Amino acid sequence: MRKIDKGIKKDFPIFKNNSGLVFLDSGASTQKPKVVIDAVKEVYEKYYANVHRGIYKLSEESSELYEQTREKVAKFINTSSEREIVFTKNTTESINLLAFTWGYQHIKKGDVILVTEMEHHANLLPWRELAKQKKAIIKYVPVKSNGRLDMVKLDKMLTSKVKLLAITHMSNVLGTINPIKKIVTKAHKKGIKVMVDGAQAAPHFPVDVTDLDADFYAFSPHKMLAPSGVGILYAKEEILESMNPFLTGGSMIAHVTHKEAEWNEIPFKFEAGTPNIEGVIGFGSAIDYLNSIGMKNIFKHEQKITKIALRELSKVEGLKIMGPKESKDRGAVFAFTLDDIHPHDMATMLDELNIAIRAGHHCAQPLHQSLGIEATTRASFYLYNTEEDIKKLVRALIKVKKLFK
Ligand SMILES: Cc1ncc(COP(=O)(O)O)c(C=O)c1O
Protein backbone atom coordinates (compact mmCIF):
# COMPACT_ATOMS: atom_id res chain seq x y z
CA MET A 1 0.00 0.00 0.00
CA ARG A 2 1.14 3.48 -0.86
CA LYS A 3 1.68 5.73 2.18
CA ILE A 4 -0.04 9.10 2.55
CA ASP A 5 2.79 11.58 2.94
CA LYS A 6 3.84 14.88 1.44
CA GLY A 7 4.73 13.03 -1.77
CA ILE A 8 1.04 12.56 -2.54
CA LYS A 9 0.72 16.22 -3.55
CA LYS A 10 3.33 15.58 -6.26
CA ASP A 11 0.87 13.20 -7.96
CA PHE A 12 -1.41 16.17 -8.65
CA PRO A 13 -0.16 18.54 -11.39
CA ILE A 14 -2.45 21.34 -10.14
CA PHE A 15 -0.16 21.86 -7.14
CA LYS A 16 2.92 22.08 -9.33
CA ASN A 17 1.21 24.63 -11.57
CA ASN A 18 -0.16 26.70 -8.68
CA SER A 19 2.73 27.01 -6.29
CA GLY A 20 1.69 27.34 -2.65
CA LEU A 21 -1.98 26.59 -3.34
CA VAL A 22 -3.91 25.39 -0.30
CA PHE A 23 -6.92 23.68 -1.80
CA LEU A 24 -9.73 23.29 0.73
CA ASP A 25 -12.74 22.73 -1.49
CA SER A 26 -12.59 19.02 -2.20
CA GLY A 27 -16.12 18.66 -0.84
CA ALA A 28 -17.26 20.46 -4.00
CA SER A 29 -14.91 18.62 -6.37
CA THR A 30 -11.44 17.18 -5.99
CA GLN A 31 -8.23 17.71 -7.91
CA LYS A 32 -7.08 14.97 -10.30
CA PRO A 33 -3.88 12.93 -10.12
CA LYS A 34 -1.70 12.66 -13.22
CA VAL A 35 -2.62 8.99 -13.67
CA VAL A 36 -6.27 9.95 -14.13
CA ILE A 37 -5.42 12.81 -16.50
CA ASP A 38 -3.21 10.42 -18.48
CA ALA A 39 -5.92 7.77 -18.59
CA VAL A 40 -8.36 10.26 -20.16
CA LYS A 41 -5.70 11.46 -22.60
CA GLU A 42 -4.96 7.86 -23.54
CA VAL A 43 -8.61 7.22 -24.36
CA TYR A 44 -8.56 10.02 -26.92
CA GLU A 45 -5.14 9.17 -28.26
CA LYS A 46 -5.34 5.39 -28.43
CA TYR A 47 -8.82 3.88 -28.50
CA TYR A 48 -11.60 6.44 -28.56
CA ALA A 49 -14.83 5.19 -30.14
CA ASN A 50 -18.42 4.97 -29.02
CA VAL A 51 -19.17 2.12 -26.63
CA HIS A 52 -21.49 -0.88 -27.02
CA ARG A 53 -22.10 -0.12 -30.70
CA GLY A 54 -19.22 -0.63 -33.05
CA ILE A 55 -18.25 -4.05 -34.36
CA TYR A 56 -14.66 -2.93 -34.73
CA LYS A 57 -11.53 -3.11 -32.60
CA LEU A 58 -11.51 0.45 -31.23
CA SER A 59 -15.10 0.31 -30.08
CA GLU A 60 -14.55 -3.11 -28.55
CA GLU A 61 -11.51 -1.79 -26.67
CA SER A 62 -13.26 1.30 -25.34
CA SER A 63 -16.35 -0.76 -24.42
CA GLU A 64 -14.16 -3.21 -22.53
CA LEU A 65 -12.43 -0.47 -20.55
CA TYR A 66 -15.76 1.23 -19.88
CA GLU A 67 -17.22 -2.01 -18.53
CA GLN A 68 -14.06 -2.70 -16.53
CA THR A 69 -14.82 0.47 -14.58
CA ARG A 70 -18.27 -0.87 -13.77
CA GLU A 71 -16.63 -4.00 -12.33
CA LYS A 72 -14.21 -1.84 -10.35
CA VAL A 73 -17.08 0.26 -8.95
CA ALA A 74 -18.98 -2.88 -7.92
CA LYS A 75 -15.89 -4.16 -6.07
CA PHE A 76 -15.17 -0.72 -4.59
CA ILE A 77 -18.57 -0.61 -2.85
CA ASN A 78 -18.65 -4.39 -2.36
CA THR A 79 -21.52 -5.64 -4.40
CA SER A 80 -21.13 -8.91 -6.26
CA SER A 81 -23.19 -7.78 -9.24
CA GLU A 82 -22.07 -5.05 -11.61
CA ARG A 83 -25.65 -5.13 -12.95
CA GLU A 84 -26.47 -3.02 -9.91
CA ILE A 85 -24.19 -0.17 -11.01
CA VAL A 86 -25.77 2.51 -13.21
CA PHE A 87 -23.65 5.27 -14.73
CA THR A 88 -25.32 8.67 -14.57
CA LYS A 89 -24.08 12.26 -14.78
CA ASN A 90 -23.65 12.94 -11.06
CA THR A 91 -25.28 12.25 -7.68
CA THR A 92 -28.01 14.77 -8.49
CA GLU A 93 -28.99 12.87 -11.62
CA SER A 94 -28.80 9.52 -9.80
CA ILE A 95 -31.33 10.71 -7.23
CA ASN A 96 -33.57 12.32 -9.83
CA LEU A 97 -33.48 9.10 -11.84
CA LEU A 98 -34.71 7.27 -8.78
CA ALA A 99 -37.44 9.79 -8.00
CA PHE A 100 -38.73 9.76 -11.58
CA THR A 101 -38.74 5.95 -11.82
CA TRP A 102 -39.08 4.11 -8.52
CA GLY A 103 -40.64 7.18 -6.90
CA TYR A 104 -43.33 7.64 -9.54
CA GLN A 105 -44.11 3.91 -9.47
CA HIS A 106 -44.37 3.54 -5.70
CA ILE A 107 -45.19 6.82 -3.94
CA LYS A 108 -48.90 7.47 -3.61
CA LYS A 109 -51.18 10.12 -2.15
CA GLY A 110 -50.76 10.37 1.62
CA ASP A 111 -47.48 8.40 1.72
CA VAL A 112 -44.68 9.89 3.79
CA ILE A 113 -41.16 10.47 2.50
CA LEU A 114 -38.70 11.08 5.31
CA VAL A 115 -35.69 13.28 4.66
CA THR A 116 -33.28 14.70 7.20
CA GLU A 117 -32.62 18.33 7.97
CA MET A 118 -29.01 17.88 6.92
CA GLU A 119 -29.73 16.86 3.31
CA HIS A 120 -28.01 18.49 0.37
CA HIS A 121 -30.64 19.92 -2.04
CA ALA A 122 -29.83 16.96 -4.33
CA ASN A 123 -31.40 14.52 -1.86
CA LEU A 124 -34.24 16.84 -0.95
CA LEU A 125 -35.72 18.60 -3.97
CA PRO A 126 -36.30 15.50 -6.16
CA TRP A 127 -38.36 14.06 -3.29
CA ARG A 128 -40.17 17.31 -2.63
CA GLU A 129 -41.12 17.62 -6.31
CA LEU A 130 -42.28 14.00 -6.35
CA ALA A 131 -44.34 14.60 -3.20
CA LYS A 132 -45.95 17.66 -4.82
CA GLN A 133 -46.95 15.64 -7.89
CA LYS A 134 -48.23 12.67 -5.90
CA LYS A 135 -49.72 14.59 -2.96
CA ALA A 136 -47.38 12.74 -0.64
CA ILE A 137 -45.99 14.22 2.58
CA ILE A 138 -42.40 15.24 3.29
CA LYS A 139 -41.22 15.07 6.89
CA TYR A 140 -37.85 16.21 8.20
CA VAL A 141 -35.87 14.23 10.76
CA PRO A 142 -34.33 16.95 12.96
CA VAL A 143 -30.66 17.55 13.64
CA LYS A 144 -29.65 18.12 17.27
CA SER A 145 -27.59 21.11 18.41
CA ASN A 146 -24.48 18.87 18.52
CA GLY A 147 -24.81 18.28 14.78
CA ARG A 148 -25.99 14.69 15.12
CA LEU A 149 -29.22 13.30 13.77
CA ASP A 150 -31.94 13.01 16.42
CA MET A 151 -32.13 9.22 16.56
CA VAL A 152 -34.93 9.20 19.14
CA LYS A 153 -37.13 11.33 16.87
CA LEU A 154 -36.10 9.25 13.86
CA ASP A 155 -37.28 6.09 15.62
CA LYS A 156 -40.66 7.66 16.24
CA MET A 157 -40.93 8.92 12.69
CA LEU A 158 -40.37 5.50 11.10
CA THR A 159 -44.06 4.62 10.86
CA SER A 160 -45.98 2.39 8.48
CA LYS A 161 -46.96 5.49 6.45
CA VAL A 162 -43.35 6.06 5.47
CA LYS A 163 -42.38 4.60 2.08
CA LEU A 164 -38.89 6.04 1.75
CA LEU A 165 -36.15 7.46 3.92
CA ALA A 166 -33.71 9.70 2.01
CA ILE A 167 -30.61 10.26 4.10
CA THR A 168 -27.06 11.41 3.62
CA HIS A 169 -24.20 9.14 4.69
CA MET A 170 -22.09 12.16 5.57
CA SER A 171 -23.21 15.80 5.76
CA ASN A 172 -21.39 18.19 3.41
CA VAL A 173 -21.80 20.97 6.00
CA LEU A 174 -21.65 19.36 9.44
CA GLY A 175 -19.28 16.53 8.61
CA THR A 176 -21.57 14.22 10.56
CA ILE A 177 -21.36 10.56 9.55
CA ASN A 178 -24.75 8.96 10.06
CA PRO A 179 -25.05 5.37 11.38
CA ILE A 180 -26.55 4.12 8.12
CA LYS A 181 -26.42 0.39 8.85
CA LYS A 182 -28.35 0.82 12.10
CA ILE A 183 -30.86 3.14 10.44
CA VAL A 184 -31.40 0.82 7.44
CA THR A 185 -32.10 -2.11 9.78
CA LYS A 186 -34.73 -0.08 11.63
CA ALA A 187 -36.30 1.20 8.40
CA HIS A 188 -36.44 -2.24 6.82
CA LYS A 189 -38.26 -3.63 9.86
CA LYS A 190 -41.07 -1.24 8.90
CA GLY A 191 -40.82 -2.08 5.18
CA ILE A 192 -39.30 1.33 4.37
CA LYS A 193 -36.86 1.67 1.48
CA VAL A 194 -33.70 3.68 2.11
CA MET A 195 -31.92 5.96 -0.34
CA VAL A 196 -28.43 6.94 0.82
CA ASP A 197 -26.63 9.97 -0.55
CA GLY A 198 -23.01 8.87 -0.45
CA ALA A 199 -21.53 11.90 -2.24
CA GLN A 200 -19.42 12.82 0.81
CA ALA A 201 -18.87 9.26 2.00
CA ALA A 202 -17.62 7.10 -0.89
CA PRO A 203 -14.60 9.39 -1.49
CA HIS A 204 -13.49 9.31 2.14
CA PHE A 205 -14.01 5.93 3.77
CA PRO A 206 -14.78 2.33 2.78
CA VAL A 207 -18.40 1.87 1.74
CA ASP A 208 -19.86 -1.62 1.77
CA VAL A 209 -23.35 -1.58 0.28
CA THR A 210 -23.85 -5.26 1.05
CA ASP A 211 -23.17 -4.66 4.73
CA LEU A 212 -25.19 -1.41 4.84
CA ASP A 213 -28.06 -3.14 3.05
CA ALA A 214 -29.37 0.21 1.74
CA ASP A 215 -31.71 -0.13 -1.22
CA PHE A 216 -30.15 2.75 -3.13
CA TYR A 217 -26.77 4.45 -2.89
CA ALA A 218 -25.56 7.40 -4.99
CA PHE A 219 -22.22 9.17 -5.33
CA SER A 220 -20.12 11.39 -7.59
CA PRO A 221 -16.73 10.25 -8.97
CA HIS A 222 -15.63 13.89 -9.49
CA LYS A 223 -15.46 14.14 -5.70
CA MET A 224 -13.03 11.22 -5.65
CA LEU A 225 -10.28 12.18 -8.10
CA ALA A 226 -12.17 11.25 -11.29
CA PRO A 227 -13.29 13.49 -14.16
CA SER A 228 -16.58 15.36 -13.77
CA GLY A 229 -19.72 14.34 -15.63
CA VAL A 230 -20.04 10.83 -14.21
CA GLY A 231 -22.31 9.71 -11.39
CA ILE A 232 -23.12 6.37 -9.82
CA LEU A 233 -26.44 4.95 -8.80
CA TYR A 234 -26.33 1.63 -7.00
CA ALA A 235 -29.67 -0.13 -6.55
CA LYS A 236 -30.50 -3.66 -5.50
CA GLU A 237 -30.88 -5.84 -8.56
CA GLU A 238 -34.49 -6.89 -8.00
CA ILE A 239 -35.56 -3.27 -7.49
CA LEU A 240 -33.63 -2.07 -10.51
CA GLU A 241 -35.29 -4.80 -12.61
CA SER A 242 -38.72 -3.57 -11.57
CA MET A 243 -38.03 0.10 -12.31
CA ASN A 244 -39.28 1.82 -15.46
CA PRO A 245 -36.65 3.55 -17.57
CA PHE A 246 -35.77 7.19 -16.85
CA LEU A 247 -34.58 8.48 -20.22
CA THR A 248 -35.53 6.67 -23.41
CA GLY A 249 -33.70 6.56 -26.73
CA GLY A 250 -30.59 4.85 -28.01
CA SER A 251 -28.62 2.17 -26.11
CA MET A 252 -31.36 1.49 -23.56
CA ILE A 253 -33.45 -0.70 -25.85
CA ALA A 254 -33.36 -4.34 -26.89
CA HIS A 255 -35.81 -4.04 -29.78
CA VAL A 256 -37.98 -1.30 -31.26
CA THR A 257 -40.84 -1.63 -33.77
CA HIS A 258 -43.08 1.13 -35.19
CA LYS A 259 -45.28 0.81 -32.12
CA GLU A 260 -43.48 -1.06 -29.36
CA ALA A 261 -40.15 -1.05 -27.57
CA GLU A 262 -38.49 -3.66 -25.43
CA TRP A 263 -36.00 -2.33 -22.92
CA ASN A 264 -32.42 -3.45 -22.64
CA GLU A 265 -31.35 -5.45 -19.59
CA ILE A 266 -30.17 -3.64 -16.45
CA PRO A 267 -28.12 -1.55 -15.97
CA PHE A 268 -28.17 -0.48 -19.66
CA LYS A 269 -31.91 0.17 -19.48
CA PHE A 270 -30.99 3.27 -17.46
CA GLU A 271 -28.15 4.47 -19.67
CA ALA A 272 -29.77 6.11 -22.68
CA GLY A 273 -27.56 7.79 -25.28
CA THR A 274 -23.79 8.12 -25.54
CA PRO A 275 -22.27 8.18 -22.07
CA ASN A 276 -19.22 10.01 -20.74
CA ILE A 277 -16.85 7.34 -22.09
CA GLU A 278 -13.56 9.01 -21.18
CA GLY A 279 -14.95 10.11 -17.79
CA VAL A 280 -15.98 6.58 -16.86
CA ILE A 281 -12.62 5.14 -17.97
CA GLY A 282 -10.89 7.93 -16.03
CA PHE A 283 -12.93 6.92 -12.99
CA GLY A 284 -11.54 3.39 -13.34
CA SER A 285 -8.07 4.84 -13.06
CA ALA A 286 -9.10 6.94 -10.03
CA ILE A 287 -10.38 3.80 -8.29
CA ASP A 288 -7.04 2.09 -8.96
CA TYR A 289 -5.25 5.08 -7.45
CA LEU A 290 -7.51 5.15 -4.36
CA ASN A 291 -7.09 1.38 -3.95
CA SER A 292 -3.30 1.71 -4.16
CA ILE A 293 -3.51 3.82 -1.00
CA GLY A 294 -6.46 2.02 0.55
CA MET A 295 -9.74 3.59 1.66
CA LYS A 296 -9.06 2.64 5.28
CA ASN A 297 -5.78 4.57 5.13
CA ILE A 298 -7.48 7.54 3.51
CA PHE A 299 -10.03 7.62 6.33
CA LYS A 300 -7.26 7.27 8.92
CA HIS A 301 -5.47 10.25 7.37
CA GLU A 302 -8.67 12.30 7.35
CA GLN A 303 -9.41 11.36 10.96
CA LYS A 304 -5.99 12.74 11.85
CA ILE A 305 -6.70 15.89 9.85
CA THR A 306 -10.10 16.21 11.58
CA LYS A 307 -8.57 16.01 15.06
CA ILE A 308 -5.92 18.60 14.24
CA ALA A 309 -8.39 20.91 12.46
CA LEU A 310 -10.87 20.81 15.35
CA ARG A 311 -8.06 21.62 17.77
CA GLU A 312 -6.42 24.36 15.70
CA LEU A 313 -9.62 26.05 14.53
CA SER A 314 -10.90 26.24 18.10
CA LYS A 315 -7.87 28.44 18.88
CA VAL A 316 -9.24 31.19 16.61
CA GLU A 317 -11.27 33.46 18.86
CA GLY A 318 -14.83 33.98 17.64
CA LEU A 319 -14.77 31.01 15.25
CA LYS A 320 -17.81 28.76 15.48
CA ILE A 321 -17.70 25.34 13.84
CA MET A 322 -20.96 23.78 12.70
CA GLY A 323 -21.39 20.09 13.43
CA PRO A 324 -19.84 17.70 15.94
CA LYS A 325 -16.87 18.98 17.95
CA GLU A 326 -15.34 15.52 18.26
CA SER A 327 -13.67 13.54 15.47
CA LYS A 328 -15.60 10.30 16.06
CA ASP A 329 -18.11 9.65 13.25
CA ARG A 330 -17.14 12.91 11.67
CA GLY A 331 -15.44 13.73 8.40
CA ALA A 332 -12.95 16.46 7.50
CA VAL A 333 -15.47 19.12 6.46
CA PHE A 334 -15.64 22.27 8.55
CA ALA A 335 -18.30 24.89 7.93
CA PHE A 336 -17.81 27.83 10.22
CA THR A 337 -18.54 31.47 10.96
CA LEU A 338 -15.98 33.93 12.27
CA ASP A 339 -17.31 36.97 14.14
CA ASP A 340 -19.61 38.71 11.71
CA ILE A 341 -17.30 38.51 8.71
CA HIS A 342 -19.40 37.57 5.70
CA PRO A 343 -18.30 34.21 4.25
CA HIS A 344 -18.00 35.77 0.77
CA ASP A 345 -15.58 38.42 2.09
CA MET A 346 -13.77 35.67 3.94
CA ALA A 347 -13.40 33.50 0.83
CA THR A 348 -12.20 36.47 -1.24
CA MET A 349 -9.55 37.39 1.32
CA LEU A 350 -8.42 33.80 1.77
CA ASP A 351 -8.12 33.53 -2.00
CA GLU A 352 -5.70 36.48 -1.90
CA LEU A 353 -3.62 34.32 0.44
CA ASN A 354 -3.79 31.38 -2.01
CA ILE A 355 -6.34 29.42 0.01
CA ALA A 356 -9.30 28.09 -1.98
CA ILE A 357 -12.33 27.69 0.23
CA ARG A 358 -16.12 27.58 -0.25
CA ALA A 359 -18.56 30.21 0.98
CA GLY A 360 -22.35 30.17 1.00
CA HIS A 361 -25.03 27.68 1.96
CA HIS A 362 -23.33 24.71 0.23
CA CYS A 363 -26.63 23.59 -1.33
CA ALA A 364 -28.04 22.95 2.13
CA GLN A 365 -30.20 26.01 2.72
CA PRO A 366 -32.82 24.41 4.96
CA LEU A 367 -30.00 23.18 7.22
CA HIS A 368 -28.56 26.70 7.44
CA GLN A 369 -32.05 27.99 8.29
CA SER A 370 -32.27 25.44 11.12
CA LEU A 371 -28.84 26.58 12.31
CA GLY A 372 -30.13 30.17 12.25
CA ILE A 373 -27.47 31.44 9.83
CA GLU A 374 -27.53 32.41 6.22
CA ALA A 375 -24.12 31.29 5.13
CA THR A 376 -20.89 29.71 6.31
CA THR A 377 -17.32 29.40 5.13
CA ARG A 378 -16.38 25.77 4.47
CA ALA A 379 -12.99 24.10 4.48
CA SER A 380 -13.08 20.53 3.19
CA PHE A 381 -10.03 18.27 3.17
CA TYR A 382 -8.86 15.26 1.20
CA LEU A 383 -5.96 12.87 0.99
CA TYR A 384 -3.58 15.50 -0.47
CA ASN A 385 -4.13 17.94 2.39
CA THR A 386 -1.59 18.15 5.18
CA GLU A 387 -1.27 19.43 8.73
CA GLU A 388 0.60 22.38 7.22
CA ASP A 389 -2.51 23.28 5.17
CA ILE A 390 -4.51 23.54 8.41
CA LYS A 391 -1.84 25.73 9.99
CA LYS A 392 -1.80 28.00 6.92
CA LEU A 393 -5.59 28.29 7.11
CA VAL A 394 -5.52 29.17 10.80
CA ARG A 395 -2.80 31.80 10.28
CA ALA A 396 -4.82 33.27 7.40
CA LEU A 397 -8.01 33.36 9.48
CA ILE A 398 -6.24 35.29 12.22
CA LYS A 399 -4.94 37.74 9.60
CA VAL A 400 -8.41 38.27 8.12
CA LYS A 401 -9.88 38.73 11.60
CA LYS A 402 -7.35 41.49 12.34
CA LEU A 403 -8.14 43.25 9.07
CA PHE A 404 -11.85 43.31 9.93
CA LYS A 405 -11.36 44.71 13.44
C1 LIG B 1 -23.91 15.44 0.28
C2 LIG B 1 -24.00 15.79 -1.17
N1 LIG B 1 -24.97 15.27 -1.92
C3 LIG B 1 -25.10 15.54 -3.22
C4 LIG B 1 -24.21 16.38 -3.85
C5 LIG B 1 -24.41 16.67 -5.30
O1 LIG B 1 -23.37 16.17 -6.05
P1 LIG B 1 -23.28 16.47 -7.61
O2 LIG B 1 -23.17 17.95 -7.74
O3 LIG B 1 -22.08 15.75 -8.08
O4 LIG B 1 -24.54 15.97 -8.22
C6 LIG B 1 -23.18 16.95 -3.13
C7 LIG B 1 -22.24 17.88 -3.77
O5 LIG B 1 -21.71 18.78 -3.18
C8 LIG B 1 -23.07 16.65 -1.75
O6 LIG B 1 -22.10 17.18 -1.01
Side-chain angles (χ1 to χ4, degrees):
M1 288 278 171
R2 171 99 191 271
K3 268 214 171 111
I4 301 185
D5 53 25
K6 283 185 182 157
I8 289 278
K9 260 193 180 154
K10 295 202 179 95
D11 293 346
F12 294 77
I14 195 107
F15 296 116
K16 204 166 83 194
N17 296 322
N18 294 271
S19 172
L21 169 70
V22 177
F23 187 74
L24 299 180
D25 196 21
S26 295
S29 200
T30 64
Q31 298 301 339
K32 319 300 173 198
K34 187 160 186 313
V35 283
V36 169
I37 299 167
D38 287 347
V40 174
K41 193 163 165 262
E42 202 178 45
V43 176
Y44 289 131
E45 289 181 350
K46 292 193 182 158
Y47 42 78
Y48 182 82
N50 212 333
V51 289
H52 306 140
R53 292 169 197 215
I55 316 288
Y56 52 90
K57 207 163 123 266
L58 283 185
S59 176
E60 278 165 10
E61 256 179 69
S62 58
S63 302
E64 197 179 311
L65 279 151
Y66 183 89
E67 287 307 317
Q68 267 176 19
T69 298
R70 203 188 303 274
E71 287 168 31
K72 288 178 190 177
V73 177
K75 263 200 202 117
F76 189 78
I77 59 169
N78 194 34
T79 170
S80 56
S81 170
E82 60 259 20
R83 281 162 54 83
E84 298 182 319
I85 306 298
V86 179
F87 289 123
T88 63
K89 201 167 69 192
N90 46 41
T91 299
T92 306
E93 189 180 85
S94 297
I95 301 173
N96 274 277
L97 184 163
L98 199 60
F100 277 102
T101 57
W102 181 89
Y104 265 78
Q105 287 168 261
H106 293 275
I107 300 296
K108 296 185 194 68
K109 189 176 173 187
D111 285 346
V112 173
I113 299 172
L114 280 188
V115 294
T116 84
E117 257 183 345
M118 64 171 88
E119 293 317 304
H120 184 283
H121 297 161
N123 203 24
L124 172 62
L125 298 181
W127 305 119
R128 285 233 305 247
E129 286 307 300
L130 175 69
K132 226 189 267 173
Q133 296 293 327
K134 294 284 190 167
K135 298 193 168 51
I137 300 152
I138 295 281
K139 288 191 178 167
Y140 288 83
V141 182
V143 174
K144 297 194 291 183
S145 57
N146 64 0
R148 303 279 178 198
L149 203 62
D150 191 329
M151 294 296 285
V152 177
K153 291 241 169 77
L154 172 64
D155 274 354
K156 288 192 184 134
M157 293 173 88
L158 291 171
T159 66
S160 58
K161 285 231 162 214
V162 180
K163 290 289 169 308
L164 177 78
L165 166 65
I167 182 168
T168 188
H169 201 163
M170 178 174 134
S171 163
N172 66 317
V173 175
L174 306 169
T176 309
I177 299 172
N178 287 316
I180 296 297
K181 188 178 174 181
K182 207 164 124 188
I183 291 171
V184 169
T185 307
K186 286 175 195 235
H188 281 174
K189 275 190 188 147
K190 297 275 164 77
I192 300 164
K193 294 275 184 283
V194 185
M195 156 67 219
V196 181
D197 174 354
Q200 297 294 340
H204 302 287
F205 49 84
V207 167
D208 183 333
V209 289
T210 305
D211 184 53
L212 293 175
D213 200 29
D215 303 282
F216 313 105
Y217 198 97
F219 57 101
S220 290
H222 71 88
K223 292 182 194 291
M224 48 202 297
L225 313 181
S228 52
V230 183
I232 300 294
L233 174 65
Y234 155 85
K236 285 182 178 167
E237 201 164 328
E238 65 276 14
I239 307 179
L240 213 49
E241 289 277 16
S242 74
M243 279 161 47
N244 292 333
F246 174 43
L247 302 173
T248 53
S251 305
M252 53 75 67
I253 48 87
H255 188 66
V256 183
T257 65
H258 280 72
K259 289 202 169 155
E260 309 284 335
E262 197 185 309
W263 311 135
N264 204 340
E265 60 183 322
I266 60 163
F268 309 109
K269 179 170 128 184
F270 299 100
E271 296 177 6
T274 301
N276 185 343
I277 301 160
E278 58 277 30
V280 166
I281 295 173
F283 183 32
S285 161
I287 292 178
D288 292 342
Y289 182 86
L290 291 169
N291 284 340
S292 74
I293 296 167
M295 290 309 295
K296 274 190 188 157
N297 293 331
I298 291 171
F299 189 51
K300 224 187 258 171
H301 171 74
E302 292 188 21
Q303 283 275 282
K304 198 175 108 196
I305 290 274
T306 302
K307 273 187 197 145
I308 300 169
L310 285 170
R311 188 188 70 214
E312 293 300 314
L313 288 170
S314 71
K315 290 180 187 163
V316 183
E317 213 182 303
L319 188 143
K320 282 194 198 113
I321 296 178
M322 308 297 133
K325 305 291 180 291
E326 70 286 348
S327 63
K328 191 175 178 297
D329 297 330
R330 192 202 199 291
V333 172
F334 307 93
F336 60 85
T337 57
L338 178 54
D339 299 335
D340 52 5
I341 304 170
H342 195 282
H344 285 172
D345 294 333
M346 175 70 85
T348 307
M349 301 201 69
L350 290 177
D351 188 39
E352 297 277 309
L353 300 166
N354 218 358
I355 298 176
I357 209 162
R358 180 97 181 254
H361 50 67
H362 323 301
C363 302
Q365 259 180 313
L367 173 64
H368 277 77
Q369 285 150 17
S370 299
L371 295 169
I373 39 176
E374 221 165 74
T376 49
T377 306
R378 185 185 75 176
S380 53
F381 294 77
Y382 205 25
L383 75 171
Y384 37 65
N385 291 116
T386 58
E387 184 171 348
E388 188 49 32
D389 290 341
I390 303 170
K391 297 214 161 127
K392 280 184 185 162
L393 171 67
V394 168
R395 283 199 293 272
L397 290 173
I398 292 167
K399 219 180 215 177
V400 174
K401 193 177 150 75
K402 275 189 192 145
L403 282 170
F404 270 85
K405 255 195 179 163

